[in-house]
């Protein structure tokens, strides 16, 4: 795991707390000692694993979770990596590696299945896997992830054990690669770091269940602290992007852009502003509607951070220097910007609404049809962001109504916020069926899977309600929507059911916890 430095070597050897001030910390300066730093800590990075098995602790027995949907497999397909990354020819995975093929077939998008503006770091994993050394941390991390998802799907304890061993080996290898970080291998390390975060999402539930049995698990809070204390790989990924800038190494905009998109969404969840060196989307090649929405999401991350005192008890709000009027005003500006974004998207981004052919998968009988699943993903993220902006504004207005003479005006504006939240949540519900595999597009046969879905030009047969790779596009907006208090109960219950399907498809324990117990509040 990669995350900010914890101190100098001198203080560590003396077993005292370091304040991490560069180039000479306070402890060393006071004691007139030589303050020595590791070269990677100088860059603000330190490598550490918080995975219990990787630390050499005995592994507890793994208990598979029950799934709400039947697990199936897609029809095997060939895979071509994104050649824009100057990758070699198509990878040739071991023909007998069933876990690897399961992961590629179910979790990886082909180039023609997802437009570039909707791609995540995972789109580039196979390209770097193909040219990585057999003993590299990336190869080991890919094996760990593929064994983990395959093990959870098949409820196979031995595969989970193999995954933990492989993850431990990957961590050990990453340590040495960090000391040899160069222009040539930083992209591979970045991909590995992001992939490790996905692995931790899968395994988090087992860690949390173990802690719960020991009575040590804290209650959920506003920003999911009990989750982020365990999983902070994204901080390391941000540090790698900063390190590249500081060294003046040639950027890899396609990969950096894809990784940065996920980092922004993480900041909104955590209630922290995006790092200054990541705030300008144009610097990473974002353009058009994506750049416009990107700029809004950067502002939303900052608003989320400043609005957190709204959740404090009344006695604590005033000591936090909270200005609800400022929060409400910024929320209104963002609401206007988001409405403008939706009105002004190009015609080839727009969607249509039609009656659902399968009533049991719709919320109110209507579904949205998008130009691609990538377009649908961006529209759903827009709705989720728009929902939380109005939720933040409504909460700020509520506090203003308690301590100002403008109670009537504030109450009226709260009602407007609530109406917008309800409308956006309904649209989000209507946007989900487009991602659900249909039972009607395939002939009935005992030898055939139950469902089929078209992604790009490819028809995929599967037993999943939501194919894992499509589930990755739904996870974030659904997490925000089900965690937002003002979302009406009918929409929230529908979205929770679909989030559980997403969690089951991905084998993602974090999402299971969000759907069942809640990890965030908006």
């Amino acid at each position: 795991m990669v995350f900010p430095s914890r101190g100098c070597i001198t203080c560590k050897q003396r077993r005292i707390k370091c304040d991490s001030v560069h180039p000479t910390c306070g402890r060393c300066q006071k004691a007139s000692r030589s303050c020595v730093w590791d070269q990677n800590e100088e860059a603000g990075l330190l490598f550490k694993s918080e995975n219990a098995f990787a630390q050499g602790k005995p592994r507890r027995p793994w208990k598979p979770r029950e799934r709400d949907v039947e697990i199936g497999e897609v029809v095997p397909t060939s895979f071509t990596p994104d050649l824009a990354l100057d990758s070699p020819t198509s990878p040739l995975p071991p023909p007998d590696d069933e876990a690897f093929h399961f992961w590629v077939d179910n979790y990886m998008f082909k180039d023609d299945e997802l437009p570039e503006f909707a791609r995540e770091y995972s789109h580039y994993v196979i390209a770097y896997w193909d040219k990585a050394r057999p003993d590299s941390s990336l190869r080991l991390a890919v094996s760990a992830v593929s064994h983990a998802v395959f093990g959870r799907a098949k409820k196979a304890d031995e595969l989970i054990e193999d995954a933990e061993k492989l993850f431990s080996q990957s961590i050990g290898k990453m340590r040495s690669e960090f000391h040899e970080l160069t222009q040539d291998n930083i992209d591979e390390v970045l991909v590995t770091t992001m992939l490790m975060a996905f692995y931790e999402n899968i395994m988090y539930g087992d860690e949390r269940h173990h802690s719960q049995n020991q009575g040590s698990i804290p209650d959920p809070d506003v920003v999911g602290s009990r989750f982020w204390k365990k999983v902070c790989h994204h901080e390391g990924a941000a540090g790698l992007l900063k390190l590249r800038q500081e060294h003046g190494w040639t950027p890899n905009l396609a990969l950096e852009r894809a990784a940065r998109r996920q980092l922004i969404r993480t900041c909104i969840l955590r209630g922290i502003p995006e790092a200054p060196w990541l705030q300008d989307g144009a610097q990473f090649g974002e353009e058009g509607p994506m750049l416009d929405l990107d700029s809004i999401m950067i502002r939303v991350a900052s608003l989320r951070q400043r609005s957190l005192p709204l959740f404090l008890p009344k006695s604590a709000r005033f000591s936090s220097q909270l200005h609800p009027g400022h929060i409400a005003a910024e929320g209104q500006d963002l609401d206007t910007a988001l409405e403008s974004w939706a009105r002004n998207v190009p015609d080839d981004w727009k969607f249509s609404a039609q009656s659902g052919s399968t009533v049991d998968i719709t919320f109110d009988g209507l579904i949205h049809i998008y130009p691609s699943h990538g377009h649908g993903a961006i529209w759903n993220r827009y709705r989720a962001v728009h929902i939380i902006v109005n939720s933040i504004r409504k909460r700020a207005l509520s506090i203003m109504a308690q301590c100002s003479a403008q109670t009537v005006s504030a109450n009226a504006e709260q009602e407007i916020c609530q109406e917008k939240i309800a409308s956006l949540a309904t649209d989000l519900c209507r946007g989900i069926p487009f991602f659900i595999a249909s039972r009607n597009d395939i002939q009935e046969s005992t030898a055939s899977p139950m469902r089929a879905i078209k992604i790009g030009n490819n028809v995929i047969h599967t037993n999943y309600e939501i194919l894992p790779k499509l589930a990755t596009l739904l996870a974030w907006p659904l997490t925000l929507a089900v965690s937002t208090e003002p979302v009406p109960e009918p929409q929230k219950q529908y979205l929770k059911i679909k989030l559980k399907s997403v969690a089951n498809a991905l084998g993602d324990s974090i999402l299971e916890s969000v759907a069942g117990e809640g990890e965030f509040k908006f």
Side-chain angles (χ1 to χ4, degrees), residues 255-287:
L255 175 60
E256 292 183 6
R257 187 163 55 244
R260 177 180 170 276
R261 289 166 184 160
Q262 187 161 343
L263 298 181
I264 293 173
R265 298 198 299 274
T266 298
C267 285
I268 292 175
L269 282 175
R270 295 186 65 181
I272 60 175
E274 184 58 278
W277 65 87
L278 293 175
Q279 290 186 3
D280 185 3
Q283 182 180 346
F284 294 87
E286 296 286 17
E287 57 186 11

Side-chain angles (χ1 to χ4, degrees), residues 8 10 18 21 23-25 28-29 33-37 42:
C8 69
T10 307
C18 181
V21 175
T24 303
C25 73
C28 290
Q29 184 177 35
R33 294 178 180 271
S34 175
C35 192
V36 181
W37 294 88
E42 293 263 358

Side-chain angles (χ1 to χ4, degrees), residues 22-289:
H22 287 72
T24 303
C25 73
R27 294 275 192 176
C28 290
Q29 184 177 35
K30 184 176 181 179
S32 300
R33 294 178 180 271
S34 175
C35 192
V36 181
W37 294 88
D38 180 272
Q39 59 179 352
N40 283 323
E41 293 183 63
E42 293 263 358
L45 298 172
L46 177 68
F47 191 76
K48 177 182 177 181
S49 167
E50 296 201 18
N51 175 275
F53 184 83
Q55 293 175 350
K57 298 178 181 178
R59 183 186 178 278
R60 67 191 171 283
W62 177 74
K63 297 182 179 180
R65 290 173 175 263
E66 294 182 0
R67 301 242 179 152
D68 294 336
V69 297
E70 182 178 0
I71 301 302
E73 297 179 3
V74 298
V75 176
T77 56
S78 59
F79 189 92
T80 304
D82 192 303
L83 300 180
L85 288 174
D86 193 28
S87 63
T89 56
S90 300
L92 298 174
D96 59 341
D97 192 340
E98 191 177 2
F100 183 94
H101 283 282
F102 175 86
W103 175 65
V104 169
D105 288 338
N106 286 279
Y107 287 76
M108 298 291 105
F109 284 101
K110 296 180 181 180
D111 289 347
D112 62 349
E113 291 180 342
L114 204 63
E116 192 283 332
F117 61 76
R119 290 176 184 171
E120 304 293 332
Y121 82 93
S122 57
H123 186 85
Y124 306 106
V125 170
I126 296 298
Y128 284 103
W129 174 92
D130 190 41
K131 59 184 179 181
R133 296 190 308 272
D135 64 341
S136 67
S137 63
L138 177 57
R139 286 281 184 123
L140 291 165
V142 165
S143 294
V145 168
S146 60
H147 278 72
V149 297
F150 193 49
R152 283 180 66 87
K154 299 300 182 182
K155 301 180 181 179
D157 189 66
E158 66 276 9
L159 289 172
I160 298 296
E161 291 179 354
D162 289 342
E164 292 183 330
K165 291 176 183 176
L166 289 163
F167 188 70
S168 176
Q169 294 171 18
S170 177
I171 288 171
K173 190 64 179 179
M174 176 72 92
R175 290 195 182 100
S176 62
E177 291 174 354
F178 246 40
H179 288 284
E180 301 170 358
L181 203 61
T182 66
Q183 164 78 54
D184 296 329
N185 71 348
I186 190 171
D187 290 338
E188 185 177 314
V189 173
L190 175 61
V191 168
T192 306
T193 303
M194 298 291 288
L195 195 60
M196 284 179 168
F198 179 65
Y199 175 90
E200 291 281 10
N201 282 12
I202 298 169
M203 304 303 287
Y204 167 79
D206 297 319
E207 292 287 339
R208 194 173 62 83
H209 176 74
H210 181 59
S211 298
Q212 193 172 31
N213 289 340
Q214 295 179 339
S216 60
I217 185 169
D219 292 329
D221 61 9
V222 177
V223 295
S225 295
R226 65 179 183 176
F227 165 45
W228 301 113
K229 286 179 181 178
K230 273 292 193 183
V231 184
C232 55
H233 300 277
H234 289 173
E235 291 183 1
L240 287 169
L241 295 177
K242 181 181 181 182
L243 192 66
R244 189 203 293 274
Q245 291 183 9
E246 290 177 344
H247 281 276
W249 291 339
T250 303
N252 183 339
L253 291 182
L255 175 60
E256 292 183 6
R257 187 163 55 244
R260 177 180 170 276
R261 289 166 184 160
Q262 187 161 343
L263 298 181
I264 293 173
R265 298 198 299 274
T266 298
C267 285
I268 292 175
L269 282 175
R270 295 186 65 181
I272 60 175
E274 184 58 278
W277 65 87
L278 293 175
Q279 290 186 3
D280 185 3
Q283 182 180 346
F284 294 87
E286 296 286 17
E287 57 186 11

Side-chain angles (χ1 to χ4, degrees), residues 441-496:
D441 295 338
I442 184 172
Q443 294 181 352
E444 293 185 4
S445 170
T446 56
S448 299
M450 298 172 59
R451 298 174 180 270
I453 189 166
K454 186 176 182 180
I455 308 178
N457 296 320
N458 306 306
V459 176
I460 298 177
H461 297 169
T462 178
N463 282 334
Y464 284 107
E465 180 186 21
I466 302 175
L467 201 64
K469 56 185 172 183
L470 293 179
T472 62
L473 303 179
L474 295 175
W476 189 79
L478 290 182
T479 295
L480 264 63
V482 304
S483 304
T484 304
E485 182 180 335
V487 170
E489 198 61 25
Q491 290 93 320
K492 184 175 292 187
Q493 288 305 313
Y494 174 86
L495 295 171
K496 279 188 175 183

Side-chain angles (χ1 to χ4, degrees), residues 367-388:
I367 63 173
H368 290 165
I369 305 299
Y370 302 94
S372 74
H373 288 94
H375 290 85
I378 303 305
W379 273 105
N380 286 334
R381 289 171 191 167
Y382 149 78
R383 293 176 185 120
V385 169
H386 207 167
I387 285 172
I388 65 171

